């Protein structure tokens, strides 16, 4: 089972990791496997350590996070044959599996333009790792599982946003500085729902502080993270399956994945000022396109509630548990979405 594919910066190679603890390097044009990297085993029994995330930092470096909380940096310039693969650096920013890994903006003195510092979430903690210096920050236990993260660039030296299992995002202004000093705000997206994926949307849509959030109930919510924060709209990817992947292409189209369906959302023209309403949909199943007149809008059922500080005022805190995907057969309910089924 391949997970979390990543392409090299020049686009020539595709990296995929599997539950067998092996990373394959394949040519994007032909699909031919050119090399394999064996992830170091973990535990006293030398069990395989499946990757959870992959990031091609540059044509020379690969950053890989695993289920055992290890963060490996591989130098691709060395001999990367199966038997000789060995990470250049190894870090452990968390004691639980690494659920998200987000690059922070490179420093002004950077000559390569590549990120050296990475924000990560794992279990109930957040961390910042410098790929040269090691782990430079580890948070306290937030008493809940953090599942996703992103950075809204250009805002307060990079506004860090992390999604939780309880349905709200934690927002740190001023980037790493705000994180280290505990300058945190919280914004409810959907109380009680897992926020599985987060993606910044300000480069493609209107609001500069806008994020798109994929939820465990199959919806995608749009929320502002600035001073006037709150949920501004919602669309649905699937009735049953969680949103497992979320992103935007260079033309501004949103792409969502979950279950056995991938959907491509076109930008609308009737309401360019509203991020949620600017997404039109086209329906297609098994290669056949079924166009429906009109646009379906799913406005936010709750406007979003912002808090500051810790949740110590809660009377009871539910026991933390691992994230589980909803199982079941999804069905298309949106109009004007390009949907591709049967991709499992």
């Amino acid at each position: 089972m391949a997970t979390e594919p990543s392409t090299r910066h020049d686009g020539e190679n595709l990296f995929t990791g599997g539950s067998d603890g092996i990373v394959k390097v394949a040519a994007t044009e032909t699909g031919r496997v050119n090399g394999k990297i064996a992830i170091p085993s973990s535990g006293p029994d030398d069990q395989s350590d499946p990757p959870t995330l992959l990031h091609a930092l540059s044509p020379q470096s690969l950053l890989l996070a695993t289920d055992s909380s290890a963060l490996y940096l591989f130098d691709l310039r060395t001999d990367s044959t199966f038997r000789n693969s060995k990470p250049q650096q190894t870090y452990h920013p968390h004691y639980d599996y690494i659920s998200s890994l987000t690059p922070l903006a490179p420093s002004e003195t950077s000559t390569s333009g590549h990120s050296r510092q990475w924000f990560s979430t794992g279990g109930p903690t957040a961390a910042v790792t410098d790929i040269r210096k090691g782990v430079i920050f580890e948070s306290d236990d937030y008493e809940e599982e953090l599942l996703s993260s992103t950075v809204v660039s250009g805002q307060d030296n990079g506004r860090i946003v992390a999604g939780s299992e309880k349905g709200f995002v934690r927002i740190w202004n001023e980037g790493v500085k705000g994180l280290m000093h505990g300058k945190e705000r919280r914004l409810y997206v959907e109380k009680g729902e897992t926020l599985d994926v987060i993606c910044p949307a300000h480069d493609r849509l209107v609001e500069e502080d806008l994020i798109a959030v994929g939820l465990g109930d199959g919806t995608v919510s749009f929320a502002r993270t600035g001073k006037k924060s709150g949920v501004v709209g919602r669309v649905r990817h699937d009735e049953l399956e969680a949103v497992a992947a979320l992103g935007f292409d260079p033309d501004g189209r949103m792409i969502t994945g979950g279950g056995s369906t991938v959907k491509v959302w076109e930008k609308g023209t009737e309401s360019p000022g509203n991020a949620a309403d600017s997404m039109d949909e086209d329906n297609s199943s098994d290669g056949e396109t079924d166009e429906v007149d009109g646009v379906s809008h799913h406005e936010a059922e709750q406007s979003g509630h912002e808090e500051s500080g810790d949740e110590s005022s809660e009377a009871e805190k539910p026991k933390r548990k691992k994230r589980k995907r909803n199982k079941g057969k999804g069905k298309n309910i949106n109009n004007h979405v390009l949907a591709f089924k049967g991709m499992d």
Side-chain angles (χ1 to χ4, degrees):
M1 179 182 68
T3 60
E4 300 297 337
S6 178
T7 55
R8 207 170 74 172
H9 280 229
D10 55 15
E12 292 184 0
N13 291 322
L14 176 69
F15 300 86
T16 59
S19 57
D20 55 359
I22 298 175
V23 175
K24 293 183 179 180
V25 186
T28 53
E29 290 188 357
T30 64
R32 180 179 178 180
V33 177
N34 298 323
K36 295 180 181 180
I37 300 174
I39 303 172
S41 56
S42 65
D45 298 331
D46 289 334
Q47 298 178 346
S48 63
D49 192 12
T52 57
L53 296 163
L54 288 171
H55 280 280
L57 303 185
S58 68
Q60 294 82 30
S61 302
L62 177 69
L63 192 63
L64 185 148
T66 71
D67 194 55
S68 70
S69 79
L71 184 62
Y72 296 117
L73 179 65
F74 286 93
D75 188 348
L76 302 178
R77 294 170 295 183
T78 61
D79 182 10
S80 59
T81 58
F82 182 79
R83 293 183 179 180
N84 297 330
S85 55
K86 184 178 180 180
Q88 182 183 15
Q89 298 288 349
T90 302
Y91 305 112
H92 288 273
H94 307 278
Y95 61 82
D96 204 345
Y97 82 103
I98 299 177
S99 55
S100 74
L101 192 60
T102 299
L104 302 178
S107 64
E108 296 179 356
T109 59
S110 173
T111 57
S112 65
H114 301 305
S115 301
R116 285 178 49 187
Q117 294 184 349
W118 290 72
F119 175 84
S120 61
T121 59
T125 62
V128 177
T129 303
D130 189 300
I131 60 174
R132 295 183 181 178
K133 300 178 181 179
V135 180
I136 61 176
F137 172 79
E138 295 178 71
S139 74
D140 295 330
D141 192 323
Y142 288 121
E143 299 295 334
E144 64 174 351
E145 189 173 357
L146 301 180
L147 304 175
S148 54
S149 64
T150 191
V151 171
V152 182
S153 60
Q155 301 287 335
D156 306 310
N157 296 321
R159 182 179 296 150
I160 300 175
V161 181
S164 77
E165 64 175 344
K166 295 182 180 179
F168 65 83
V169 293
R170 294 177 181 266
I171 304 171
W172 294 276
N173 291 338
E174 302 182 33
V176 177
K177 180 180 177 181
L179 180 66
M180 292 182 172
H181 289 81
K183 296 181 179 180
E184 174 192 324
R185 294 181 292 120
R186 291 177 296 184
L187 170 67
Y188 272 106
V189 177
E190 185 67 31
K191 195 168 184 178
E193 281 296 338
T194 58
L195 308 186
D196 294 338
V197 287
I198 300 179
C199 177
H202 66 277
D203 288 337
R204 291 88 181 176
L205 302 177
V206 177
E207 290 81 358
E208 292 185 352
D209 60 353
L210 196 73
I211 59 173
V213 185
L215 282 74
D217 64 356
T219 61
V220 177
S221 292
F222 300 91
R224 295 188 180 99
T225 61
K227 294 181 179 179
K228 296 182 179 180
S229 59
V231 176
V232 297
R234 182 175 290 114
V235 295
R236 179 169 292 279
H237 169 80
D238 195 274
E239 285 282 8
L240 299 175
E241 298 289 352
V243 179
L246 174 65
F248 289 82
D249 70 6
D251 295 324
R253 296 176 297 187
M254 184 174 72
I255 303 173
T256 58
S260 60
T261 303
V262 173
K263 292 184 178 180
V264 181
W265 303 72
E266 295 285 355
K267 291 180 64 176
T269 57
E270 75 293 336
S271 302
N274 188 309
D277 290 350
S278 65
M279 288 294 172
D280 288 352
E281 315 168 53
D282 256 329
N283 228 357
S284 142
S285 180
D286 298 327
E288 298 181 2
T289 302
D290 181 19
E291 296 187 0
V292 182
D293 294 334
V295 177
S296 174
H297 302 304
H298 302 265
E299 299 294 340
E301 296 178 0
Q302 63 182 54
S303 59
H305 179 63
E306 184 178 341
E307 297 180 358
S308 297
D310 298 329
E311 286 187 312
S312 56
S313 60
E314 293 184 1
E316 296 182 358
K317 295 181 180 179
K319 184 178 180 181
R320 184 169 63 249
K321 57 184 178 180
K322 291 282 188 179
R323 171 176 47 171
K324 293 183 179 180
R325 297 294 186 189
N326 294 327
K327 297 184 180 296
K329 183 178 180 181
K331 58 182 179 180
N332 295 332
I333 62 171
N334 299 306
N335 303 327
H336 303 303
V337 175
L338 301 175
F340 307 94
K341 300 202 69 173
M343 299 186 67
D344 52 344

